[in-house]
Amino acid sequence: MQAKQIVARVEELVKPLCEQAGVSLWDVEFEKEGGRYMLTVTVDHPEGVQIDQCEQVSRALDPMLDEKEFDDMPSYTLCVSSAGLSRRLKRPEHFAAFIGHPVELGFYKPVNGAKQTEGILVAYDDGCVTLESGGQQTVYEPKDIAAVRLAVEI
């Protein structure tokens, strides 16, 4: 099973488990980190996620991942966690939910001399991110964007 297939199948399995725990599914990732694979399930709730909810999802999902269909999956560590305050925006629905909020864009290589920028999320269209900063709107291309996160205001 390839990483994309694993992620798609885990999403199918975990969505109802999230609903039972009173949270929504934010994201699923299956990536190699330092020689070991991590299966990360990220959950969300408008009023915050409790550790008990993460534990409930983890305990329900874990035996499902022991089923025969996952036999060819490499050894991994399962992590269920909250999306957090500085959550990464990846899907169109993530961007739609945070139009008008401050975000930080990280770039693969410097854009206009900077490796990152911050502004108000104005639009998201087919991977292009439009930010407003200093009264000016700028459109950033998906080929330049490494990551988009909510900016934390303290």
Side-chain angles (χ1 to χ4, degrees):
M1 215 185 271
Q2 293 180 348
K4 285 184 179 183
Q5 294 170 309
I6 292 168
V7 166
R9 183 63 179 127
V10 170
E11 283 180 359
E12 287 176 31
L13 292 172
V14 80
K15 277 183 184 177
L17 303 177
C18 288
E19 289 175 17
Q20 291 170 6
V23 294
S24 60
L25 178 63
W26 183 261
D27 196 21
V28 175
E29 294 178 315
F30 186 68
E31 298 175 322
K32 194 169 190 176
E33 293 182 12
R36 207 159 153 81
Y37 283 92
M38 292 289 296
L39 175 59
T40 306
V41 175
T42 309
V43 298
D44 191 30
H45 188 278
E47 296 170 13
V49 176
Q50 303 298 314
I51 194 155
D52 294 351
Q53 293 168 306
C54 292
E55 182 181 4
Q56 182 180 341
V57 172
S58 179
R59 288 183 186 272
L61 179 61
D62 195 39
M64 293 178 173
L65 297 172
D66 290 336
E67 295 295 324
K68 186 168 179 59
E69 72 177 297
F70 295 103
D71 279 352
D72 64 345
M73 201 168 140
S75 179
Y76 66 92
T77 300
L78 173 63
C79 175
V80 178
S81 66
S82 164
L85 292 176
S86 63
R87 65 192 60 205
R88 187 166 177 190
L89 307 182
K90 293 172 66 176
R91 302 173 182 201
E93 59 268 24
H94 295 165
F95 288 92
F98 290 99
I99 297 289
H101 288 80
V103 296
E104 297 173 349
L105 260 67
F107 303 116
Y108 291 112
K109 58 185 178 187
V111 173
N112 300 325
K115 281 281 282 178
Q116 65 181 28
T117 191
E118 192 171 317
I120 301 299
L121 179 62
V122 175
Y124 176 82
D125 184 30
D126 200 27
C128 292
V129 175
T130 304
L131 293 188
E132 181 178 306
S133 181
Q136 187 174 4
Q137 290 189 6
T138 307
V139 178
Y140 297 94
E141 299 290 324
K143 65 179 177 53
D144 297 323
I145 301 169
V148 181
R149 294 190 179 280
L150 283 182
V152 178
E153 297 177 2
I154 299 175

